[in-house]
């Protein structure tokens, strides 16, 4: 794992690229585009920073840094709401292939994923969520529908989670039908992918691999939520300095100072929870309680913070032109993505 200084340098570099090439106008155009994300921005991040290669080992064409570095990029993307194939492909897709233990598939797929030229999509959930796969395998073919697939509409290769194990299939296969799903959050595009007796290549049947993939997904979403929540906090602080009411900036009113202080506490506690879960994953010995706590607390914190953001911005926050409503919608979407752990979280005595 990189040192604290190296991680800070990575975050600063990614933020600089996003600030220069991924402003709100770029985001709005990406939302309305066919891809759903800005392809030029993704290319810059891959070519100049190597973000897609961070969590891929060197023997498969990656940088070999690790999950901590990759999820730091996910956190920075959360600040901007950009959704290139980082989370769905470079993190979850790549990790699914690695967890399968299939060396041939790793050698064949991951070098192009590391370059950002191949996009993977993990097909997993049924209509009710991620507790049971939407696709079943029988005699080397796949049948069923995977719901809520990240990057599914534009992926080159599909990694399919079934009760029988992980499978790989070309997204352009004639037995595969892809449909973009309507969602509350316009900044994140999800798809339904239907398989009709589609011939597929088995990658592995380790049940533990799917469990670990869910843990990675929860940690990744927590990182994204921390980045988005932090941006909402400082966006609100800056607005409170410029918005004048009763002849003075609204940020000078003590009641609003208290509310923004509470937002700060929520952001920092969410950051601590997310980083603890990510560190455990990176070390190879994650604490299930840390992961569950991060999943629940980061979701609650982000929802609470974005609610305060809308309130403290007043009427402007509910206009299409302002970004507050986009963060509000992302908060609700992230709270459901990849499911939630059972409650309560009390550790056994």
């Amino acid at each position: 794992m990189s040192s604290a200084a190296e991680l800070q340098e990575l975050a600063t570099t990614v933020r600089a690229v996003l600030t220069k090439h991924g402003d709100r106008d770029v985001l709005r155009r990406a939302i309305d585009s066919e891809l759903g994300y800005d392809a030029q921005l993704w290319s810059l991040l891959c070519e100049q920073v190597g973000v897609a290669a961070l969590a891929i080992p060197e023997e498969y064409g990656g940088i070999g840094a690790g999950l901590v570095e990759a999820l730091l990029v996910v956190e920075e993307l959360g600040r901007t709401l950009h959704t290139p194939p980082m989370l769905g492909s470079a993190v979850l897709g790549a990790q699914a292939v690695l967890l399968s233990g299939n060396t041939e598939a790793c050698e064949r797929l991951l070098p192009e994923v590391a370059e950002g030229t191949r996009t993977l999509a993990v097909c997993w959930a049924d209509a009710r969520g991620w507790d049971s796969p939407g696709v079943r395998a029988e005699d080397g073919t796949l049948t069923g529908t995977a719901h809520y697939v990240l990057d599914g509409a534009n992926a080159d290769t599909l990694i399919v989670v079934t009760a029988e194990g992980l499978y790989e299939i070309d997204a352009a296969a004639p037995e595969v039908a892809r449909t973009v799903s309507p969602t509350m959050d316009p900044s994140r595009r999800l798809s339904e992918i239907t398989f009709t007796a589609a011939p597929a290549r088995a990658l592995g049947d380790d049940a533990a691999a799917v469990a670990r993939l869910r843990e990675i997904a929860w940690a990744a979403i927590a990182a994204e939520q921390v980045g988005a929540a932090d941006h909402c906090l400082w966006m609100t602080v800056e607005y409170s300095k410029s918005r004048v009411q009763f002849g003075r900036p609204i940020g000078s009113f003590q009641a609003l100072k208290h509310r923004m202080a509470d937002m700060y506490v929520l952001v920092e506690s969410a950051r601590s929870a997310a980083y603890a879960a990510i560190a455990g994953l990176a070390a190879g010995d994650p604490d299930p309680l840390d992961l569950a706590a991060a999943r629940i607390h980061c979701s609650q914190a982000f929802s609470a913070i974005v609610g305060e953001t809308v309130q403290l911005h007043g009427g402007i926050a509910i206009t299409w032109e302002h970004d507050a409503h986009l963060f509000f919608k992302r908060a609700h979407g992230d709270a459901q993505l990849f499911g939630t752990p059972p409650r309560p979280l009390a550790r056994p005595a």
Side-chain angles (χ1 to χ4, degrees), residues 52-65 90 93-118 120:
L54 287 170
I56 295 176
E58 292 182 29
E59 60 263 35
Y60 302 131
I63 295 174
Q95 291 302 308
V97 176
L98 288 167
L99 288 168
S100 74
N102 190 314
T103 303
E104 185 276 332
C106 290
E107 293 174 343
R108 179 166 43 82
L109 299 174
L110 295 185
E112 291 180 348
V113 175
E115 293 173 356
T117 56
R118 179 189 293 270
L120 306 179

Side-chain angles (χ1 to χ4, degrees), residues 207-282:
V210 176
R212 179 56 57 91
L213 189 62
R214 184 195 288 268
E215 293 173 344
I216 294 170
W218 283 354
I221 285 296
E224 179 179 281
Q225 289 168 325
V226 167
D230 190 62
H231 180 81
C232 286
L233 165 63
W234 295 112
M235 179 170 65
T236 305
V237 169
E238 289 304 312
Y239 179 76
S240 74
K241 295 176 181 179
S242 61
R243 175 72 168 93
V244 175
Q245 188 71 14
F246 305 113
R248 55 194 284 195
I250 63 172
S252 65
F253 294 112
Q254 188 173 22
L256 300 192
K257 290 180 181 179
H258 287 172
R259 289 172 70 171
M260 286 182 280
D262 289 341
M263 291 168 69
Y264 177 79
V265 171
L266 278 175
V267 168
E268 292 306 311
S269 61
R271 192 191 311 279
S272 295
Y275 286 7
I278 293 168
L281 272 176

Side-chain angles (χ1 to χ4, degrees), residues 19-335:
T19 300
K20 184 176 181 179
H21 302 284
D23 61 21
R24 66 184 308 274
D25 291 331
V26 175
L27 174 66
R28 296 299 179 119
R29 289 196 297 270
I31 288 174
D32 294 330
S33 70
E34 183 179 352
L35 281 176
Y37 66 88
D38 188 84
Q40 182 180 2
L41 177 62
W42 177 235
S43 295
L44 286 170
L45 287 168
C46 292
E47 294 167 4
Q48 296 186 7
V49 190
V51 297
L54 287 170
I56 295 176
E58 292 182 29
E59 60 263 35
Y60 302 131
I63 295 174
L67 274 175
V68 172
E69 291 79 3
L71 297 192
L72 187 63
V73 175
V74 173
E75 179 182 341
E76 290 302 319
L77 287 169
R79 297 178 186 277
T80 66
L81 299 182
H82 280 289
T83 53
M86 182 67 197
L87 173 57
S89 179
V91 174
L92 296 181
Q95 291 302 308
V97 176
L98 288 167
L99 288 168
S100 74
N102 190 314
T103 303
E104 185 276 332
C106 290
E107 293 174 343
R108 179 166 43 82
L109 299 174
L110 295 185
E112 291 180 348
V113 175
E115 293 173 356
T117 56
R118 179 189 293 270
T119 300
L120 306 179
V122 178
C123 303
W124 189 344
D126 65 11
R128 296 169 296 178
W130 287 261
D131 289 334
S132 56
V135 181
R136 65 184 183 276
E138 185 176 356
D139 298 329
T141 64
L142 302 177
T143 300
T145 300
H147 296 256
Y148 324 119
V149 181
L150 273 68
D151 304 317
N154 305 297
D156 304 298
T157 304
L158 306 177
I159 308 300
V160 186
V161 177
T162 73
E164 294 75 23
L166 296 173
Y167 286 79
E168 171 204 342
I169 185 171
D170 187 342
E175 299 87 358
V176 176
R178 300 188 277 183
T179 306
V180 175
S181 304
T183 59
M184 172 186 285
D185 177 11
S187 64
R188 166 163 282 147
R189 195 161 294 180
L190 303 178
S191 301
E192 289 184 9
I193 302 183
T194 299
F195 303 84
T196 307
R201 185 193 305 252
L203 294 180
D205 57 2
D206 185 0
V210 176
R212 179 56 57 91
L213 189 62
R214 184 195 288 268
E215 293 173 344
I216 294 170
W218 283 354
I221 285 296
E224 179 179 281
Q225 289 168 325
V226 167
D230 190 62
H231 180 81
C232 286
L233 165 63
W234 295 112
M235 179 170 65
T236 305
V237 169
E238 289 304 312
Y239 179 76
S240 74
K241 295 176 181 179
S242 61
R243 175 72 168 93
V244 175
Q245 188 71 14
F246 305 113
R248 55 194 284 195
I250 63 172
S252 65
F253 294 112
Q254 188 173 22
L256 300 192
K257 290 180 181 179
H258 287 172
R259 289 172 70 171
M260 286 182 280
D262 289 341
M263 291 168 69
Y264 177 79
V265 171
L266 278 175
V267 168
E268 292 306 311
S269 61
R271 192 191 311 279
S272 295
Y275 286 7
I278 293 168
L281 272 176
D285 186 27
D287 185 333
L289 190 64
D290 284 346
L291 286 160
R295 177 71 182 115
I296 292 173
H297 181 60
C298 291
S299 295
Q300 293 176 341
F302 184 20
S303 294
I305 288 164
V306 79
E308 286 288 75
T309 296
V310 171
Q311 288 287 323
L312 295 178
H313 274 79
I316 192 174
I318 58 173
T319 64
W320 178 255
E321 290 72 20
H322 200 275
D323 288 344
H325 74 96
L326 293 175
F327 283 93
F328 182 86
K329 292 168 183 175
R330 175 62 64 84
H332 283 270
D334 276 2

